[in-house]
């Protein structure tokens, strides 16, 4: 039996058509069931539904052979024990620094001010600001990052931005893009070696499904 770990919500919804192209259709919709293990149309493949930030951990320890997870989550996890063979081109957004519209972030950085930055992505933010030589105190939050500057908890945030609507609704502006984000297929490195005969074709099928979806959307890659 192969196990694929997928987070509930937006990434799962976007992954469904890709998985279907690869011949994997869940027996039940994760949004309609409380079950955390769901069978699929592929008799030897099951889905486990986990929290987005837990996908790399399940795959790293081999509790799942494969997983679908955002590059943001992977960066924060560090990627130990994982192969990242396919960019699924779903869940596209960007990881950004954002601050209140009235806060002169660039000037504060120029002056060498010490900034308080709230984020779920502490490790990624630490690396980013260290490379730039910006002094920061990082405050770990688990959600609603946009509230932190409004409530006086932080000068700025590091968070995902997609449409920009959440920033706008809270009077924040994007001041710097850290990295473009999309979801990746990850594979346990040991599984990939020991179950190569089964996993390599499956990964190839998923890669083909992504290419097909992109050509239908008019996107081509060199
Ligand atoms: C993400 C992110 C932002 C929002 C950005 O949160 O943390 O809050 O989406 O999207 P937008 O630019 O289109 O407004 P999500 O809804 O995934 O929930 P989370 O706070 O649990 O991460």
């Amino acid at each position: 039996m192969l196990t694929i770990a997928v987070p509930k919500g937006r990434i799962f919804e976007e992954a469904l058509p890709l998985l279907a192209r690869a011949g994997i259709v869940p027996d039940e919709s994760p949004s309609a069931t409380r079950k955390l293990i769901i069978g699929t149309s592929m008799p030897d493949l099951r889905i486990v539904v986990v929290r987005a930030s837990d996908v790399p951990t399940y795959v790293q320890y081999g509790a799942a052979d494969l997983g679908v997870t955002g590059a943001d989550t992977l960066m924060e996890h560090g990627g130990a024990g994982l192969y990242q063979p396919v960019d699924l081109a779903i869940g596209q957004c960007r990881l950004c620094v954002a601050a209140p519209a009235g806060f002169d972030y660039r000037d504060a950085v120029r002056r060498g001010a010490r900034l308080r930055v709230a984020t779920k992505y502490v490790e990624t933010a630490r690396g980013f600001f260290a490379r730039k030589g910006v002094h920061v105190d990082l405050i770990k939050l688990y959600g609603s990052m946009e509230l932190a500057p409004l409530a006086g908890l932080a000068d700025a945030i590091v968070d995902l931005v997609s449409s920009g609507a959440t920033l706008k609704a809270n009077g924040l502006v994007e001041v710097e893009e850290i990295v473009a984000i999309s979801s990746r297929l990850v594979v346990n490195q040991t599984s990939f070696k020991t179950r190569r005969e089964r996993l390599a074709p499956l990964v190839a099928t998923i890669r083909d499904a992504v290419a097909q979806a992109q050509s239908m959307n008019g996107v081509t890659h060199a």
Side-chain angles (χ1 to χ4, degrees):
M1 178 63 76
L2 288 177
T3 302
I4 181 165
V6 182
K8 211 171 187 163
R10 202 166 12 182
I11 292 182
F12 200 110
E13 297 306 321
E14 289 191 46
L16 276 176
L18 279 181
L19 294 176
R21 273 177 199 281
I24 303 164
V25 179
D27 292 344
E28 291 177 80
S29 157
S31 51
T33 177
R34 304 290 294 176
K35 278 191 202 163
L36 299 173
I37 300 179
I38 303 174
T40 74
S41 52
M42 238 174 227
D44 70 338
L45 188 127
R46 65 181 188 170
I47 292 172
V48 292
V49 182
V50 306
R51 201 188 162 120
S53 50
D54 292 336
V55 169
T57 309
Y58 270 79
V59 181
Q60 175 186 4
Y61 288 99
D65 304 284
L66 311 114
V68 174
T69 185
D72 52 322
T73 306
L74 268 175
M75 268 188 289
E76 197 61 16
H77 168 272
L82 306 174
Y83 289 130
Q84 302 179 28
V86 187
D87 181 343
L88 298 170
I90 58 171
Q92 288 175 327
C93 55
R94 51 200 190 276
L95 188 67
C96 294
V97 184
F103 178 70
D104 195 338
Y105 169 81
R106 277 171 216 297
D107 183 59
V109 168
R110 225 175 357 250
R111 285 187 290 107
R114 197 167 186 94
L115 298 176
R116 287 212 299 184
V117 178
T119 186
K120 184 154 75 173
Y121 303 100
V122 171
E123 296 309 322
T124 308
R126 194 191 316 286
F128 173 74
F129 289 116
R131 282 191 299 279
K132 293 182 67 88
V134 178
H135 303 290
V136 288
D137 288 319
L138 294 165
I139 301 173
K140 169 90 180 183
L141 290 179
Y142 293 86
S144 300
M145 257 71 72
E146 293 85 356
L147 178 62
L150 310 183
L153 179 62
D155 302 306
I157 61 171
V158 166
D159 195 15
L160 297 180
V161 179
S162 178
S163 66
T166 311
L167 290 184
K168 194 166 178 213
N170 292 290
L172 304 180
V173 291
E174 193 177 316
V175 291
E176 203 158 15
E177 178 171 328
I178 297 177
V179 64
I181 297 293
S182 58
S183 294
R184 310 292 159 97
L185 182 71
V186 291
V187 184
N188 176 276
Q189 290 183 349
T190 309
S191 287
F192 199 68
K193 285 170 194 143
T194 57
R195 313 181 77 180
R196 196 182 188 95
E197 269 173 38
R198 179 68 185 91
L199 279 171
L202 185 62
V203 168
T205 307
I206 294 173
R207 185 181 285 120
D208 288 349
V210 174
Q212 247 182 48
Q214 293 198 319
S215 69
M216 281 187 61
N217 292 335
V219 181
T220 49
H221 282 292

